[in-house]
Amino acid sequence: MVLLLTAVSEHAQTKIRSLTGLIEGHAVGGVTIDALGNIYVADFGETVWKITPEGERHVFASGLYGASGNAIDNEGNLLQANFYGDSITKIDRKGQATPFVTSGLSGPVGIAVNKQTGDMYVANCRSNSIAKVAKDGAVSSFAKSDLLNCPNGICFDREGNLYVVNFRDNKMLKIDPKGTVASFATISKKGLGHLCFKEDRFYVTAFESHEIYEVTLDGTVKRILGNGKRGVVDGAGEKARLSFPNGIAFNPWGRRLYINEYVNDSTSSLPRRAIIREIVLEANK
């Protein structure tokens, strides 16, 4: 593998830099950010870290079971999916964890919160479905389709439509408020990770292609970081290299995104290692 942390000065392009060093013993789940700019990173194991905008990291919660996708609710709680536990844990701002959803899910990964209603929508990888979770934790079916192929990342646009990306193929799907699933865009050559919506466009991690993509609301797709070759190289455009990027979230205060990456040669190699990096988006887009 290539492990090279360098700075590149192309000011016009989107660029990436390392926020943390290598983190030993962990894989990659979801990434989300609170209103203060703190970053919450799940390790697809037992742990969620809280990372300040300056890159200081500490354990925020532990004892989870396949910590995958996550989101912040309207009260500032972290909603954390447990892939292996088929459950969702609610973690308050002090790090106190309580079970929130304990049945009705099947391999939950991505979580999106409707800020108007407080309802939560969960991507179920194993059942190829989207569940709706009310504020009291009640689970109901929202969408199911042959187009869903291990739905992984999920987010809202500004009109209240849901968008999902598949882990087992390269498709991005649109789900209207009635639960109808339709094709929206083809992203990369291989499977996808998570996505987020910033201003008027989406940003998607191509997990198996080691790239970051931008997708506009008309479905136009543009690769903004990486060249398809795996590595950890800070820099801009195609000169940057990524390694299994998965979670992605936007900073509420600036044109920055945060991702986590699995640094190993393959998803099965040991010992596990991860890294958190910051993406500075191209100015005046």
Side-chain angles (χ1 to χ4, degrees):
M1 74 169 286
V2 174
L3 181 59
L4 176 62
L5 308 181
T6 61
V8 179
S9 60
E10 292 94 330
H11 295 294
Q13 291 181 283
T14 293
K15 51 192 175 183
I16 189 170
R17 72 174 187 91
S18 299
L19 185 66
T20 69
L22 293 182
I23 304 168
E24 298 288 342
H26 298 279
V28 285
V31 175
T32 193
I33 298 179
D34 66 19
L36 303 178
N38 296 303
I39 309 154
Y40 299 85
V41 180
D43 74 342
F44 209 71
E46 296 186 341
T47 304
V48 174
W49 310 305
K50 182 177 180 179
I51 303 174
T52 69
E54 295 75 32
E56 297 179 6
R57 175 175 60 94
H58 69 268
V59 172
F60 181 65
S62 60
L64 302 162
Y65 194 31
S68 52
N70 46 30
I72 302 292
D73 70 11
N74 290 344
E75 287 75 45
N77 302 300
L78 178 70
L79 301 170
Q80 179 61 57
N82 297 286
F83 180 83
Y84 299 119
D86 294 330
S87 63
I88 294 173
T89 300
K90 180 181 287 188
I91 307 167
D92 69 18
R93 294 187 62 203
K94 296 180 179 179
Q96 297 298 310
T98 56
F100 182 57
V101 179
T102 58
S103 63
L105 303 177
S106 180
V109 186
I111 298 176
V113 176
N114 184 320
K115 296 298 185 181
Q116 282 69 46
T117 67
D119 294 330
M120 172 181 21
Y121 294 80
V122 182
N124 287 299
C125 171
R126 278 198 291 265
S127 62
N128 293 321
S129 67
I130 307 300
K132 179 180 178 180
V133 181
K135 289 187 289 185
D136 63 359
V139 179
S140 60
S141 177
F142 179 69
K144 193 171 179 65
S145 170
D146 290 340
L147 294 172
L148 295 166
N149 191 7
C150 183
N152 201 67
I154 184 170
C155 75
F156 281 99
D157 68 7
R158 60 193 175 196
E159 303 297 329
N161 298 297
L162 280 169
Y163 293 78
V164 174
V165 292
N166 287 329
F167 187 75
R168 294 203 179 102
D169 63 33
N170 56 359
K171 304 301 182 183
M172 181 175 176
L173 311 172
K174 181 179 181 178
I175 308 176
D176 70 18
K178 295 182 179 180
T180 301
V181 182
S183 296
F184 181 70
T186 298
I187 306 296
S188 62
K189 295 180 180 179
K190 300 178 182 179
L192 305 173
H194 288 260
L195 78 167
C196 65
F197 184 73
K198 173 78 169 173
E199 295 173 350
D200 61 351
R201 62 200 65 202
F202 303 91
Y203 296 92
V204 182
T205 57
F207 180 82
E208 292 189 357
S209 296
H210 317 297
E211 298 161 324
I212 305 294
Y213 284 83
E214 174 189 274
V215 184
T216 58
L217 287 167
D218 65 0
T220 301
V221 177
K222 175 185 177 182
R223 185 177 64 183
I224 59 172
L225 281 173
N227 60 7
K229 297 180 180 180
R230 195 187 68 81
V232 180
V233 179
D234 288 356
E238 293 186 357
K239 292 185 178 181
R241 288 173 68 174
L242 298 95
S243 179
F244 298 109
N246 192 37
I248 187 167
F250 66 85
N251 188 305
W253 303 109
R255 296 185 56 78
R256 287 174 166 78
L257 306 170
Y258 295 91
I259 64 171
N260 58 353
E261 298 169 73
Y262 188 65
V263 177
N264 294 36
D265 292 337
S266 73
T267 54
S268 61
S269 59
L270 296 173
R272 297 185 178 100
R273 294 178 296 167
I275 193 169
I276 317 303
R277 291 206 279 174
E278 178 187 68
I279 296 169
V280 179
L281 296 172
E282 179 180 346
N284 301 320
K285 293 187 71 65

